[in-house]
Amino acid sequence: MATVAKTKLRNFIGGEAVEPAEGGYEEVVNPATGEAIAAAPLSTKADVDRAVAAARTAFDNGSWSTIPPNERARALLRMADLIEARGDEIADLEAADAGKPRAAVIEDEIEVMADQLRFFAGAARCLEGRAAGEYMEGHTSFIRREPIGVIGQITPWNYPLMMAIWKIGPALAAGNTIVLKPAETTPVTTLMFAEWCGEILPPGVLNVIGGHGEPAGAELVTHPDVDMVSLTGSPPTGKWIAKAAADSLKRVHLELGGKAPVVVFDDVDMETAMETIAGTGFYNAGQDCTAATRHRRRPAGPARLLPRAGGGRRPRAGRRDDPEGDLRPGDHRAAVFRRGQGDRVGQRDPLRPRLLGLDPRRRPGDASRQRAALRLRLDQRPHPAGLGDAARRLQGIRLRQGSLDVRGRGVHGDQARDDQPRIDAALATTIHAS
């Protein structure tokens, strides 16, 4: 097992590890121990300009964008091999950086990241499009797929490197070049991965800079030479990016989250349901956009769920290398509050479900009419007794997305917090009458 020591990180721009233009650094803290594990660069407008210029040069000179897809695929395959070869080192760094069990990184992320890069290596060689055709006399029409250009990417703190891989893989496979800013609280693995990839990719193809949303993130989003912006983050940040990108007609890719309900049907095995709710609520130390924070049942039989809710298994705190631990030791609540996610970890009992009834006889109506309290994200697995019935049941409760009232802290209007009523009588009447 590798040792995590305090490291001075640098931006990776144009194939080189470089100091930030203004020389600013800040400590990266292990949220489980409060120990500083790294010093991360604080990028400014000058650093963003330098990184975007490197990405633009690499794109325009054709060193990546015009090479055959099989060559891009080979590079992605080498990147996948690199992740596997450095798996233990990545697990140590990620466990210290993000405050999660080391075993979770080994079991759930290393092989997945390698597989994702291999998937996109294959996808790079299997592009599809319409056949050419003659729609006007003397002319042949066809569609040619081309890379977009320079992609600005911003990644979150809960799966630092894996979320970066989700963005890096498809962008590189299509022939684009990248400037990526990881979350300022968890930049370690992404900055180090970029430096490792310097031996695989041409200079300027993958650039990673540290820093905060202001100024680095904002400068990246609004930079005139960035052709597309991709964010995984909060709805307020996504709304700001969409507005800012509209001024220059940038393309945007937004993955915003989220609160996730678990849907519980009458015929479920309750022991299985409660174990699932406990596991999904505190998976990845509770730092998950699909953490099970709300639970929905049909009106019949809520008493079957409530007695078990208080007796659910509490998450186990373990050492960093404890394979049985759900959480790292230490004050996770303080760490999560610093990252604006206090509603997910440390602020609620392990199992305190929000119970909303679902009328099995009626198909729910428009989410804009029933309000966002019934807008579902069906990210959790259903557990009906008859698995063949699962698809029909999910179809029966899927809602059309209506207008959403998004609050500043990134939750939809009418979503219950721990200090708010789960559902008021007037809304309950509206739900069952619709």
Side-chain angles (χ1 to χ4, degrees):
M1 183 172 61
T3 300
V4 178
K6 186 171 180 179
T7 304
K8 185 178 181 181
L9 304 169
R10 294 181 292 176
N11 290 330
F12 189 76
I13 300 175
E16 296 179 326
V18 297
E19 302 286 337
E22 296 185 6
Y25 280 86
E26 71 175 351
E27 289 187 336
V28 179
V29 176
N30 180 333
T33 65
E35 175 190 5
I37 60 171
L42 290 173
S43 298
T44 60
K45 183 180 185 300
D47 299 291
V48 175
D49 288 343
R50 181 177 180 180
V52 172
R56 174 57 60 189
T57 298
F59 183 82
D60 290 345
N61 67 21
S63 63
W64 186 256
S65 59
T66 63
I67 64 174
N70 67 318
E71 294 186 27
R72 294 200 294 268
R74 280 198 292 268
L76 289 167
L77 292 173
R78 289 180 62 193
M79 291 166 66
D81 293 341
L82 185 154
I83 286 178
E84 287 185 336
R86 291 182 173 265
D88 286 335
E89 182 179 359
I90 292 171
D92 285 329
L93 293 169
E94 207 79 319
D97 199 14
K100 63 175 71 180
R102 182 179 186 275
V105 184
I106 292 290
E107 296 170 6
D108 300 336
E109 299 180 37
I110 299 299
E111 288 300 323
V112 171
M113 289 188 288
D115 184 64
Q116 287 162 351
L117 288 171
R118 289 175 181 134
F119 172 86
F120 287 112
R125 307 185 67 172
C126 299
L127 297 178
E128 297 180 354
R130 295 179 182 177
E134 282 70 39
Y135 303 101
M136 295 177 63
E137 184 177 354
H139 297 271
T140 297
S141 300
F142 66 95
I143 295 175
R144 173 182 169 85
R145 294 184 179 271
E146 296 183 341
I148 295 171
V150 177
I151 313 297
Q153 301 176 342
I154 301 174
T155 54
W157 49 263
N158 54 342
Y159 297 92
L161 185 55
M162 188 159 71
M163 293 296 96
I165 294 298
W166 282 21
K167 297 184 184 299
I168 291 170
L172 293 185
N176 301 292
T177 57
I178 295 170
V179 179
L180 188 153
K181 190 197 83 67
E184 65 272 15
T185 50
T186 56
V188 177
T189 50
T190 309
L191 283 165
M192 295 183 72
F193 179 73
E195 193 167 345
W196 297 338
C197 289
E199 299 180 3
I200 300 174
L201 301 171
V205 172
L206 176 60
N207 308 275
V208 177
I209 59 174
H212 289 254
E214 180 64 47
E219 292 291 341
L220 181 59
V221 169
T222 58
H223 200 289
D225 275 342
V226 171
D227 301 296
M228 178 177 177
V229 176
S230 177
L231 164 79
T232 298
S234 71
T237 303
K239 290 171 66 177
W240 182 87
I241 286 177
K243 291 176 183 178
D247 290 338
S248 56
L249 297 179
K250 284 182 173 64
R251 300 189 189 188
V252 295
H253 174 271
L254 305 175
E255 181 191 359
L256 312 177
K259 290 277 192 172
V262 175
V263 180
V264 183
F265 296 102
D266 286 349
D267 57 354
V268 72
D269 174 75
M270 292 308 298
E271 296 302 325
T272 300
M274 297 313 297
E275 180 66 23
T276 300
I277 291 169
T280 54
F282 288 90
Y283 175 75
N284 196 47
Q287 303 172 112
D288 200 290
C289 59
T290 58
T293 57
R294 293 174 295 141
H295 310 90
R296 304 190 185 275
R297 288 189 47 76
R298 289 172 52 176
R304 297 178 60 208
L305 181 63
L306 287 174
R308 291 172 170 81
R313 179 179 68 84
R314 290 186 174 272
R316 169 189 165 118
R319 299 183 308 276
R320 176 171 61 89
D321 56 348
D322 184 351
E324 301 298 326
D326 300 303
L327 301 173
R328 292 275 302 282
D331 187 358
H332 284 79
R333 179 172 58 185
V336 173
F337 282 171
R338 286 199 302 272
R339 296 172 181 176
Q341 300 290 338
D343 57 317
R344 292 185 185 167
V345 180
Q347 198 177 10
R348 65 182 187 272
D349 292 334
L351 294 175
R352 190 163 72 196
R354 286 92 163 137
L355 295 173
L356 296 182
L358 291 172
D359 188 339
R361 300 163 296 178
R362 299 182 183 273
R363 183 183 181 90
D366 193 336
S368 63
R369 177 164 58 85
Q370 295 191 0
R371 310 202 313 186
L374 267 186
R375 182 172 180 266
L376 301 183
R377 285 189 56 192
L378 302 176
D379 289 31
Q380 309 298 343
R381 294 181 177 88
H383 288 279
L387 292 179
D389 201 35
R392 181 186 66 80
R393 295 185 179 200
L394 290 180
Q395 183 180 16
I397 59 175
R398 186 171 287 115
L399 304 178
R400 299 192 304 275
Q401 179 174 327
S403 59
L404 295 177
D405 171 23
V406 181
R407 295 183 178 178
R409 288 189 65 190
V411 297
H412 306 306
D414 297 312
Q415 284 186 344
R417 289 186 177 276
D418 289 315
D419 57 351
Q420 296 173 339
R422 300 297 178 260
I423 181 170
D424 56 52
L427 181 56
T429 302
T430 302
I431 292 171
H432 292 299
S434 61

